[in-house]
Amino acid sequence: MLLEVKDIHVHYGKIAALKGISVEVNEGEIVTLIGANGAGKTTTLKTISGLRGLTSGRILFDGKDISKMPGHKRVMAGLGQAPEGRGIFPGMTVHDNLLMGAYARSGNFDKELAEAYELFPRLAERRNQAAGTMSGGEQQMLAIGRALMAKPKVLLLDEPSMGLAPLLVQQIFSIIEEINRRGTTVLLVEQNAQQALSLAHRAYVLETGSVVKSAPAAELLDDPDVRAAYLGGGLGHEAPGERA
Amino acid sequence: MFNDFINQFWPATIDGLAFGSIYALIALGYTMVYGVLRLINFAHSEVFMIGTFGAMFVPFTLGINSALTGFALVGVIVLMILAGMLASAGTAVALERIAYRPLRKRGASRLAALISAIGASIFLQELFALVIIPNVFDRPQQGRVQMGLPRLMERTELFSIFGHTVRVDQVLVIVAALGMMVVLDRLVNATKIGRGIRATAQNPESAVLMGVDIDKIIRMTFLIGGAMAGVAGALYLISYENTNYFIGFLFGIKAFTAAVLGGIGNLRGALVGGIVLGLVENYGAIFFGSDWKHVISFTILVLVLMFRPTGILGESLQQARA
């Protein structure tokens, strides 16, 4: 197992954001976490990448316990992330943003740069443009390309479809598939459950800080509860305030 | 009055550029720390003050009390600048470690950091007035008295503009300050540590995800800003030949005004703000008399805050709203 999240609890002040989440990701897989706003998907990713501290539980990566490892060291360990809201550096050029992705590495990264520009030809066209002046889709491509610059073993993607037109979402998802095919394991957080479940091998459904279901993605696509709650299949059992 | 302006225009310009360069060097420290932490380091004024004393330490230890020439002069000036940088950068890093980091780690409000800065500022002033100046500089009971620097450099005329003398010390200040600005600009825009600083300023969480050690970047930011204030301190001392434990106060607030005027968070803004402030202050002094210099500066601060709070060049280290 490449990444194992074991019963993690995370608090914001006194409020529990995660109440014992366990997730496993095997090498070569695409695993997705789906769920409504506030279910704890983003917090789970931020905890894995070290931006949030654990109250209890453990995170194992590549056989090592990284629960206490400072966030900035986890990149070198092999965790790359394209964060929620893209998190690009708006005042830097596209090229400098990509170089930031390789900040923790030393040596030559011409090969990774070439690969990023090959996966996202749009970025090559805009390499000297300030990243903050690009469209949302382009910024998302940049965020993913930047994360790949660190040559991660696992790529953590937080809502790559957020705010994008359907055609662009298709494009981004097919690139994610391609990245996975080339050997990078992917952990994907999505509100767009239909897209995420079509792409992923396995999925976890999160509700208010807990995992309520885990199964192969194809099974969840046919699951009546999941369809009702997340795939717009009629009136579900959703609790008030749970959906955005 | 208009005749006065014509007569005094060139001397005021040269003085304005010299003072403006010093404001600009100090302003860099405010603006860099603000860019990375969104915090005004109000103890930065004392970082400048300590820079003047760091520079003073060199001629004091060497026992120099007459003017030097040639290599001896150049050597002493370089040593004074280095000593000023060392003293100021050390102070700035210590401030971050002692006065700010513990608060930051506990997630304290910016108001708490501000109060901490004022406390640190008073502590450092009193430390110099009561301990360092009487003991290190051998002036018992005179910690609060202005301390002069023996004339190191003859005030020779280098050249003249329309019949007005431009002295060698004035040129030294302007050229050295501009040189430091260029070095800093390269450092921030063309090195890895500079990329780390810009990334942290623009999006700290993303910077961590890229493997940037934020604590180290913050330390470097204080160190670089402190070193620039140290250069300012040394240049001020060489040119104006005096200092005291309280000198940081006025220079600190003026440099803060310059940083806001140019656009806080913007490195080039600090340069522009410093030079503009220096010039306006000195031109204004022709009309209203030099007693009104400070009034002019702070009137500018208030006007900028009212009508263009982002300053002349706006925020650019972050470009958060690009």
Side-chain angles (χ1 to χ4, degrees):
Chain A
M1 199 170 308
L2 189 52
L3 176 65
E4 188 176 5
V5 175
K6 277 184 161 174
D7 192 31
I8 56 169
H9 292 251
V10 172
H11 288 79
Y12 290 114
K14 284 199 166 67
I15 301 157
L18 302 185
K19 308 165 194 161
I21 297 243
S22 295
V23 171
E24 294 172 359
V25 182
N26 295 307
E27 193 153 0
E29 276 188 315
I30 300 180
V31 173
T32 185
L33 309 181
I34 59 171
N37 251 352
K41 308 185 300 291
T42 292
T43 303
T44 305
L45 278 204
K46 284 189 170 179
T47 310
I48 294 172
S49 52
L51 294 176
R52 295 285 173 275
L54 282 171
T55 312
S56 67
R58 295 205 301 159
I59 300 169
L60 302 174
F61 180 63
D62 218 2
K64 287 189 294 277
D65 187 339
I66 60 163
S67 316
K68 296 248 153 33
M69 185 188 273
H72 69 269
K73 291 196 172 148
R74 298 192 192 189
V75 198
M76 276 312 278
L79 286 166
Q81 182 169 351
E84 185 186 29
R86 297 144 201 156
I88 53 141
F89 302 113
M92 290 190 197
T93 62
V94 168
H95 195 73
D96 276 358
N97 264 276
L98 289 176
L99 288 181
M100 275 310 297
Y103 186 87
R105 295 176 52 199
S106 49
N108 190 316
F109 10 88
D110 288 349
K111 194 173 144 273
E112 286 72 35
L113 266 175
E115 195 177 343
Y117 284 136
E118 182 241 322
L119 273 173
F120 302 103
R122 184 64 71 84
L123 296 183
E125 288 165 26
R126 316 226 146 177
R127 56 190 296 155
N128 292 318
Q129 188 173 332
T133 62
M134 297 202 303
S135 74
E138 291 163 342
Q139 292 190 8
Q140 187 60 57
M141 294 175 190
L142 180 57
I144 297 174
R146 187 181 62 178
L148 289 176
M149 289 295 293
K151 290 179 84 171
K153 291 185 186 127
V154 175
L155 179 61
L156 309 174
L157 297 173
D158 197 343
E159 304 253 12
S161 76
M162 195 203 282
L164 302 187
L167 210 63
L168 260 173
V169 175
Q170 289 288 352
Q171 200 187 336
I172 297 269
F173 271 71
S174 67
I175 292 170
I176 296 170
E177 198 166 17
E178 172 65 18
I179 291 166
N180 177 251
R181 220 168 40 75
R182 292 184 188 186
T184 308
T185 307
V186 175
L187 178 56
L188 170 70
V189 154
E190 259 304 334
Q191 277 204 58
N192 189 335
Q194 178 77 48
Q195 285 284 354
L197 291 175
S198 314
L199 176 72
H201 302 116
R202 289 191 304 111
Y204 293 81
V205 181
L206 269 60
E207 254 171 42
T208 56
S210 310
V211 174
V212 292
K213 232 175 208 139
S214 75
E219 253 173 56
L220 289 182
L221 267 176
D222 297 328
D223 184 305
D225 288 347
V226 171
R227 290 201 72 83
Y230 304 110
L231 300 173
L235 298 168
H237 59 198
E238 68 194 68
E242 210 178 38
R243 300 282 299 268
Chain B
M1 187 180 267
F2 192 67
N3 265 338
D4 286 349
F5 188 75
I6 299 291
N7 283 331
Q8 292 175 43
F9 179 78
W10 286 108
T13 303
I14 300 299
D15 260 349
L17 288 176
F19 262 100
S21 306
I22 289 170
Y23 295 153
L25 282 174
I26 308 171
L28 287 171
Y30 284 105
T31 226
M32 286 185 75
V33 167
Y34 179 83
V36 169
L37 284 180
R38 294 294 190 281
L39 171 99
I40 299 296
N41 173 16
F42 273 113
H44 191 59
S45 45
E46 270 35 81
V47 172
F48 167 76
M49 179 272 284
I50 290 172
T52 65
F53 281 100
M56 178 76 94
F57 189 71
V58 173
F60 178 81
T61 322
L62 297 176
I64 295 166
N65 45 29
S66 59
L68 303 166
T69 51
F71 285 121
L73 176 64
V74 174
V76 168
I77 287 176
V78 169
L79 276 179
M80 286 174 76
I81 290 177
L82 288 177
M85 288 171 87
L86 193 71
S88 289
T91 307
V93 170
L95 269 174
E96 192 273 322
R97 186 72 194 79
I98 297 165
Y100 295 131
R101 193 183 303 180
L103 294 173
R104 186 159 56 82
K105 293 287 172 196
R106 283 175 182 76
S109 71
R110 299 217 165 91
L111 200 56
L114 182 68
I115 294 164
S116 182
I118 294 169
S121 191
I122 295 170
F123 170 82
L124 290 171
Q125 284 175 13
E126 293 303 306
L127 179 73
F128 268 72
L130 296 172
V131 182
I132 309 274
I133 298 171
N135 296 307
V136 177
F137 291 93
D138 201 21
R139 290 162 65 89
Q141 312 295 324
Q142 293 185 73
R144 292 179 202 278
V145 180
Q146 176 143 302
M147 187 172 173
L149 173 78
R151 178 149 297 185
L152 292 175
M153 180 161 68
E154 288 302 344
R155 309 262 131 151
T156 45
E157 176 179 328
L158 200 63
F159 55 88
S160 68
I161 303 176
F162 302 111
H164 295 288
T165 305
V166 178
R167 297 191 320 265
V168 63
D169 57 301
Q170 295 169 319
V171 174
L172 172 77
V173 171
I174 297 167
V175 170
L178 287 177
M180 290 313 293
M181 301 275 183
V182 173
V183 169
L184 182 73
D185 194 67
R186 289 294 85 205
L187 186 72
V188 170
N189 285 311
T191 65
K192 183 169 174 175
I193 191 90
R195 257 189 289 136
I197 290 174
R198 282 185 294 142
T200 306
Q202 291 176 22
N203 193 330
E205 278 208 341
S206 283
V208 173
L209 293 177
M210 303 299 115
V212 177
D213 182 348
I214 299 270
D215 284 343
K216 185 176 151 198
I217 291 294
I218 291 171
R219 195 159 55 237
M220 285 305 294
T221 305
F222 274 84
L223 185 124
I224 296 167
M228 293 292 150
V231 175
L235 292 175
Y236 171 80
L237 185 69
I238 291 164
S239 195
Y240 297 92
E241 300 175 321
N242 66 73
T243 183
N244 62 67
Y245 80 105
F246 199 63
I247 197 164
F249 177 71
L250 207 54
F251 273 88
I253 299 190
K254 293 261 184 92
F256 172 61
T257 305
V260 173
L261 179 62
I264 190 117
N266 184 326
L267 294 182
R268 287 177 189 162
L271 173 64
V272 172
I275 300 288
V276 168
L277 184 67
L279 288 174
V280 171
E281 208 179 69
N282 279 280
Y283 293 148
I286 302 175
F287 292 107
F288 304 107
S290 57
D291 291 348
W292 289 82
K293 252 179 155 181
H294 307 324
V295 178
I296 294 164
S297 301
F298 298 121
T299 307
I300 291 173
L301 177 62
V302 172
L303 291 178
V304 171
L305 290 174
M306 277 170 70
F307 295 108
R308 192 170 161 80
T310 55
I312 297 171
L313 298 186
E315 209 175 284
S316 106
L317 200 59
Q318 301 87 17
Q319 290 195 345
R321 289 174 291 280

PDB file of all heavy atoms in Angstrom, chain A residues 89 92-99 113 117 122-124 126-131 134 142:
ATOM      1  N   PHE A  89       0.746  30.967  -8.011  1.00  0.00           N
ATOM      2  CA  PHE A  89       1.377  32.205  -7.580  1.00  0.00           C
ATOM      3  C   PHE A  89       1.066  33.263  -8.636  1.00  0.00           C
ATOM      4  O   PHE A  89       1.674  33.276  -9.711  1.00  0.00           O
ATOM      5  CB  PHE A  89       2.876  32.001  -7.414  1.00  0.00           C
ATOM      6  CG  PHE A  89       3.203  30.913  -6.429  1.00  0.00           C
ATOM      7  CD1 PHE A  89       3.802  29.736  -6.844  1.00  0.00           C
ATOM      8  CD2 PHE A  89       2.868  31.050  -5.087  1.00  0.00           C
ATOM      9  CE1 PHE A  89       4.078  28.723  -5.946  1.00  0.00           C
ATOM     10  CE2 PHE A  89       3.143  30.034  -4.177  1.00  0.00           C
ATOM     11  CZ  PHE A  89       3.750  28.872  -4.614  1.00  0.00           C
ATOM     12  N   MET A  92       3.733  35.506 -10.496  1.00  0.00           N
ATOM     13  CA  MET A  92       4.848  34.880 -11.209  1.00  0.00           C
ATOM     14  C   MET A  92       4.387  34.431 -12.589  1.00  0.00           C
ATOM     15  O   MET A  92       3.221  34.150 -12.810  1.00  0.00           O
ATOM     16  CB  MET A  92       5.328  33.642 -10.454  1.00  0.00           C
ATOM     17  CG  MET A  92       6.014  33.943  -9.161  1.00  0.00           C
ATOM     18  SD  MET A  92       6.780  32.419  -8.558  1.00  0.00           S
ATOM     19  CE  MET A  92       7.038  32.876  -6.860  1.00  0.00           C
ATOM     20  N   THR A  93       5.352  34.297 -13.481  1.00  0.00           N
ATOM     21  CA  THR A  93       5.017  33.788 -14.803  1.00  0.00           C
ATOM     22  C   THR A  93       4.662  32.305 -14.694  1.00  0.00           C
ATOM     23  O   THR A  93       4.935  31.655 -13.685  1.00  0.00           O
ATOM     24  CB  THR A  93       6.207  33.913 -15.762  1.00  0.00           C
ATOM     25  OG1 THR A  93       7.269  33.113 -15.258  1.00  0.00           O
ATOM     26  CG2 THR A  93       6.658  35.351 -15.907  1.00  0.00           C
ATOM     27  N   VAL A  94       4.058  31.795 -15.752  1.00  0.00           N
ATOM     28  CA  VAL A  94       3.733  30.368 -15.832  1.00  0.00           C
ATOM     29  C   VAL A  94       5.003  29.547 -15.626  1.00  0.00           C
ATOM     30  O   VAL A  94       5.032  28.582 -14.855  1.00  0.00           O
ATOM     31  CB  VAL A  94       3.097  30.061 -17.204  1.00  0.00           C
ATOM     32  CG1 VAL A  94       3.017  28.571 -17.453  1.00  0.00           C
ATOM     33  CG2 VAL A  94       1.710  30.693 -17.275  1.00  0.00           C
ATOM     34  N   HIS A  95       6.062  29.970 -16.283  1.00  0.00           N
ATOM     35  CA  HIS A  95       7.321  29.246 -16.199  1.00  0.00           C
ATOM     36  C   HIS A  95       7.863  29.222 -14.757  1.00  0.00           C
ATOM     37  O   HIS A  95       8.260  28.169 -14.256  1.00  0.00           O
ATOM     38  CB  HIS A  95       8.335  29.893 -17.145  1.00  0.00           C
ATOM     39  CG  HIS A  95       9.530  29.041 -17.406  1.00  0.00           C
ATOM     40  ND1 HIS A  95       9.478  27.920 -18.203  1.00  0.00           N
ATOM     41  CD2 HIS A  95      10.804  29.131 -16.967  1.00  0.00           C
ATOM     42  CE1 HIS A  95      10.670  27.361 -18.241  1.00  0.00           C
ATOM     43  NE2 HIS A  95      11.489  28.069 -17.501  1.00  0.00           N
ATOM     44  N   ASP A  96       7.828  30.387 -14.102  1.00  0.00           N
ATOM     45  CA  ASP A  96       8.312  30.444 -12.711  1.00  0.00           C
ATOM     46  C   ASP A  96       7.435  29.614 -11.778  1.00  0.00           C
ATOM     47  O   ASP A  96       7.925  29.011 -10.827  1.00  0.00           O
ATOM     48  CB  ASP A  96       8.367  31.894 -12.217  1.00  0.00           C
ATOM     49  CG  ASP A  96       9.656  32.590 -12.632  1.00  0.00           C
ATOM     50  OD1 ASP A  96      10.508  31.925 -13.264  1.00  0.00           O
ATOM     51  OD2 ASP A  96       9.807  33.799 -12.338  1.00  0.00           O
ATOM     52  N   ASN A  97       6.126  29.589 -12.046  1.00  0.00           N
ATOM     53  CA  ASN A  97       5.237  28.738 -11.261  1.00  0.00           C
ATOM     54  C   ASN A  97       5.656  27.278 -11.382  1.00  0.00           C
ATOM     55  O   ASN A  97       5.701  26.551 -10.389  1.00  0.00           O
ATOM     56  CB  ASN A  97       3.788  28.890 -11.732  1.00  0.00           C
ATOM     57  CG  ASN A  97       3.008  29.896 -10.906  1.00  0.00           C
ATOM     58  OD1 ASN A  97       2.489  29.571  -9.846  1.00  0.00           O
ATOM     59  ND2 ASN A  97       2.933  31.128 -11.386  1.00  0.00           N
ATOM     60  N   LEU A  98       5.946  26.854 -12.605  1.00  0.00           N
ATOM     61  CA  LEU A  98       6.372  25.471 -12.813  1.00  0.00           C
ATOM     62  C   LEU A  98       7.694  25.209 -12.089  1.00  0.00           C
ATOM     63  O   LEU A  98       7.860  24.168 -11.445  1.00  0.00           O
ATOM     64  CB  LEU A  98       6.507  25.162 -14.306  1.00  0.00           C
ATOM     65  CG  LEU A  98       5.179  25.064 -15.082  1.00  0.00           C
ATOM     66  CD1 LEU A  98       5.447  24.866 -16.562  1.00  0.00           C
ATOM     67  CD2 LEU A  98       4.299  23.929 -14.544  1.00  0.00           C
ATOM     68  N   LEU A  99       8.602  26.176 -12.164  1.00  0.00           N
ATOM     69  CA  LEU A  99       9.885  26.001 -11.459  1.00  0.00           C
ATOM     70  C   LEU A  99       9.673  25.884  -9.950  1.00  0.00           C
ATOM     71  O   LEU A  99      10.380  25.139  -9.278  1.00  0.00           O
ATOM     72  CB  LEU A  99      10.831  27.165 -11.760  1.00  0.00           C
ATOM     73  CG  LEU A  99      11.437  27.199 -13.164  1.00  0.00           C
ATOM     74  CD1 LEU A  99      12.368  28.393 -13.300  1.00  0.00           C
ATOM     75  CD2 LEU A  99      12.192  25.907 -13.466  1.00  0.00           C
ATOM     76  N   LEU A 113       9.898  19.735 -17.116  1.00  0.00           N
ATOM     77  CA  LEU A 113       9.333  20.933 -17.739  1.00  0.00           C
ATOM     78  C   LEU A 113       8.764  20.587 -19.115  1.00  0.00           C
ATOM     79  O   LEU A 113       7.630  20.952 -19.448  1.00  0.00           O
ATOM     80  CB  LEU A 113      10.417  21.997 -17.912  1.00  0.00           C
ATOM     81  CG  LEU A 113      10.568  23.044 -16.822  1.00  0.00           C
ATOM     82  CD1 LEU A 113      11.763  23.930 -17.125  1.00  0.00           C
ATOM     83  CD2 LEU A 113       9.312  23.891 -16.696  1.00  0.00           C
ATOM     84  N   TYR A 117       4.817  20.839 -20.323  1.00  0.00           N
ATOM     85  CA  TYR A 117       4.397  21.597 -21.506  1.00  0.00           C
ATOM     86  C   TYR A 117       3.776  20.690 -22.558  1.00  0.00           C
ATOM     87  O   TYR A 117       2.924  21.125 -23.335  1.00  0.00           O
ATOM     88  CB  TYR A 117       5.589  22.361 -22.094  1.00  0.00           C
ATOM     89  CG  TYR A 117       5.969  23.596 -21.304  1.00  0.00           C
ATOM     90  CD1 TYR A 117       7.297  23.884 -21.020  1.00  0.00           C
ATOM     91  CD2 TYR A 117       4.989  24.480 -20.842  1.00  0.00           C
ATOM     92  CE1 TYR A 117       7.649  25.015 -20.296  1.00  0.00           C
ATOM     93  CE2 TYR A 117       5.336  25.602 -20.117  1.00  0.00           C
ATOM     94  CZ  TYR A 117       6.666  25.866 -19.847  1.00  0.00           C
ATOM     95  OH  TYR A 117       7.003  26.985 -19.125  1.00  0.00           O
ATOM     96  N   ARG A 122      -1.251  24.464 -23.740  1.00  0.00           N
ATOM     97  CA  ARG A 122      -1.695  25.819 -23.456  1.00  0.00           C
ATOM     98  C   ARG A 122      -0.701  26.564 -22.568  1.00  0.00           C
ATOM     99  O   ARG A 122      -0.471  27.764 -22.724  1.00  0.00           O
ATOM    100  CB  ARG A 122      -3.078  25.770 -22.776  1.00  0.00           C
ATOM    101  CG  ARG A 122      -3.687  27.122 -22.504  1.00  0.00           C
ATOM    102  CD  ARG A 122      -3.973  27.887 -23.788  1.00  0.00           C
ATOM    103  NE  ARG A 122      -5.079  27.291 -24.523  1.00  0.00           N
ATOM    104  CZ  ARG A 122      -6.350  27.539 -24.277  1.00  0.00           C
ATOM    105  NH1 ARG A 122      -6.681  28.364 -23.331  1.00  0.00           N
ATOM    106  NH2 ARG A 122      -7.291  26.962 -24.978  1.00  0.00           N
ATOM    107  N   LEU A 123      -0.096  25.808 -21.638  1.00  0.00           N
ATOM    108  CA  LEU A 123       0.878  26.443 -20.737  1.00  0.00           C
ATOM    109  C   LEU A 123       2.124  26.877 -21.506  1.00  0.00           C
ATOM    110  O   LEU A 123       2.717  27.911 -21.204  1.00  0.00           O
ATOM    111  CB  LEU A 123       1.276  25.480 -19.611  1.00  0.00           C
ATOM    112  CG  LEU A 123       0.166  25.064 -18.649  1.00  0.00           C
ATOM    113  CD1 LEU A 123       0.728  24.167 -17.564  1.00  0.00           C
ATOM    114  CD2 LEU A 123      -0.518  26.275 -18.034  1.00  0.00           C
ATOM    115  N   ALA A 124       2.511  26.087 -22.484  1.00  0.00           N
ATOM    116  CA  ALA A 124       3.694  26.436 -23.283  1.00  0.00           C
ATOM    117  C   ALA A 124       3.447  27.740 -24.030  1.00  0.00           C
ATOM    118  O   ALA A 124       4.322  28.593 -24.119  1.00  0.00           O
ATOM    119  CB  ALA A 124       4.020  25.306 -24.252  1.00  0.00           C
ATOM    120  N   ARG A 126       1.715  30.116 -23.014  1.00  0.00           N
ATOM    121  CA  ARG A 126       1.627  31.252 -22.090  1.00  0.00           C
ATOM    122  C   ARG A 126       2.780  31.293 -21.106  1.00  0.00           C
ATOM    123  O   ARG A 126       2.641  31.888 -20.027  1.00  0.00           O
ATOM    124  CB  ARG A 126       0.325  31.161 -21.296  1.00  0.00           C
ATOM    125  CG  ARG A 126      -0.856  30.799 -22.133  1.00  0.00           C
ATOM    126  CD  ARG A 126      -2.013  31.665 -21.844  1.00  0.00           C
ATOM    127  NE  ARG A 126      -2.779  31.875 -23.066  1.00  0.00           N
ATOM    128  CZ  ARG A 126      -3.894  32.564 -23.107  1.00  0.00           C
ATOM    129  NH1 ARG A 126      -4.353  33.083 -22.030  1.00  0.00           N
ATOM    130  NH2 ARG A 126      -4.521  32.724 -24.243  1.00  0.00           N
ATOM    131  N   ARG A 127       3.872  30.682 -21.432  1.00  0.00           N
ATOM    132  CA  ARG A 127       4.922  30.485 -20.426  1.00  0.00           C
ATOM    133  C   ARG A 127       5.414  31.780 -19.784  1.00  0.00           C
ATOM    134  O   ARG A 127       5.803  31.788 -18.625  1.00  0.00           O
ATOM    135  CB  ARG A 127       6.097  29.701 -21.004  1.00  0.00           C
ATOM    136  CG  ARG A 127       6.696  30.323 -22.255  1.00  0.00           C
ATOM    137  CD  ARG A 127       7.680  29.371 -22.896  1.00  0.00           C
ATOM    138  NE  ARG A 127       8.811  29.122 -22.017  1.00  0.00           N
ATOM    139  CZ  ARG A 127       9.556  28.025 -22.080  1.00  0.00           C
ATOM    140  NH1 ARG A 127       9.283  27.080 -22.938  1.00  0.00           N
ATOM    141  NH2 ARG A 127      10.579  27.893 -21.278  1.00  0.00           N
ATOM    142  N   ASN A 128       5.388  32.904 -20.509  1.00  0.00           N
ATOM    143  CA  ASN A 128       5.897  34.148 -19.932  1.00  0.00           C
ATOM    144  C   ASN A 128       4.787  35.082 -19.447  1.00  0.00           C
ATOM    145  O   ASN A 128       5.032  36.238 -19.127  1.00  0.00           O
ATOM    146  CB  ASN A 128       6.795  34.864 -20.931  1.00  0.00           C
ATOM    147  CG  ASN A 128       8.070  34.081 -21.165  1.00  0.00           C
ATOM    148  OD1 ASN A 128       8.655  33.564 -20.214  1.00  0.00           O
ATOM    149  ND2 ASN A 128       8.471  33.948 -22.417  1.00  0.00           N
ATOM    150  N   GLN A 129       3.572  34.557 -19.389  1.00  0.00           N
ATOM    151  CA  GLN A 129       2.457  35.372 -18.916  1.00  0.00           C
ATOM    152  C   GLN A 129       2.341  35.247 -17.398  1.00  0.00           C
ATOM    153  O   GLN A 129       2.616  34.186 -16.832  1.00  0.00           O
ATOM    154  CB  GLN A 129       1.185  34.854 -19.590  1.00  0.00           C
ATOM    155  CG  GLN A 129      -0.033  35.718 -19.343  1.00  0.00           C
ATOM    156  CD  GLN A 129      -1.217  35.238 -20.172  1.00  0.00           C
ATOM    157  OE1 GLN A 129      -1.062  34.666 -21.245  1.00  0.00           O
ATOM    158  NE2 GLN A 129      -2.408  35.463 -19.652  1.00  0.00           N
ATOM    159  N   ALA A 130       1.927  36.341 -16.725  1.00  0.00           N
ATOM    160  CA  ALA A 130       1.687  36.265 -15.283  1.00  0.00           C
ATOM    161  C   ALA A 130       0.522  35.312 -15.042  1.00  0.00           C
ATOM    162  O   ALA A 130      -0.541  35.431 -15.659  1.00  0.00           O
ATOM    163  CB  ALA A 130       1.379  37.639 -14.714  1.00  0.00           C
ATOM    164  N   ALA A 131       0.730  34.347 -14.137  1.00  0.00           N
ATOM    165  CA  ALA A 131      -0.260  33.293 -13.933  1.00  0.00           C
ATOM    166  C   ALA A 131      -1.616  33.837 -13.498  1.00  0.00           C
ATOM    167  O   ALA A 131      -2.658  33.285 -13.848  1.00  0.00           O
ATOM    168  CB  ALA A 131       0.266  32.285 -12.914  1.00  0.00           C
ATOM    169  N   MET A 134      -4.460  34.483 -16.104  1.00  0.00           N
ATOM    170  CA  MET A 134      -5.000  33.399 -16.949  1.00  0.00           C
ATOM    171  C   MET A 134      -6.407  32.999 -16.517  1.00  0.00           C
ATOM    172  O   MET A 134      -6.855  33.319 -15.423  1.00  0.00           O
ATOM    173  CB  MET A 134      -4.084  32.178 -16.875  1.00  0.00           C
ATOM    174  CG  MET A 134      -2.692  32.455 -17.410  1.00  0.00           C
ATOM    175  SD  MET A 134      -1.848  30.952 -17.911  1.00  0.00           S
ATOM    176  CE  MET A 134      -1.889  30.020 -16.403  1.00  0.00           C
ATOM    177  N   LEU A 142      -2.129  24.694 -14.785  1.00  0.00           N
ATOM    178  CA  LEU A 142      -0.854  25.101 -14.194  1.00  0.00           C
ATOM    179  C   LEU A 142      -0.660  24.450 -12.830  1.00  0.00           C
ATOM    180  O   LEU A 142       0.430  23.960 -12.511  1.00  0.00           O
ATOM    181  CB  LEU A 142      -0.805  26.630 -14.067  1.00  0.00           C
ATOM    182  CG  LEU A 142       0.470  27.210 -13.461  1.00  0.00           C
ATOM    183  CD1 LEU A 142       1.701  26.778 -14.256  1.00  0.00           C
ATOM    184  CD2 LEU A 142       0.406  28.728 -13.408  1.00  0.00           C
TER     185      LEU A 142
END
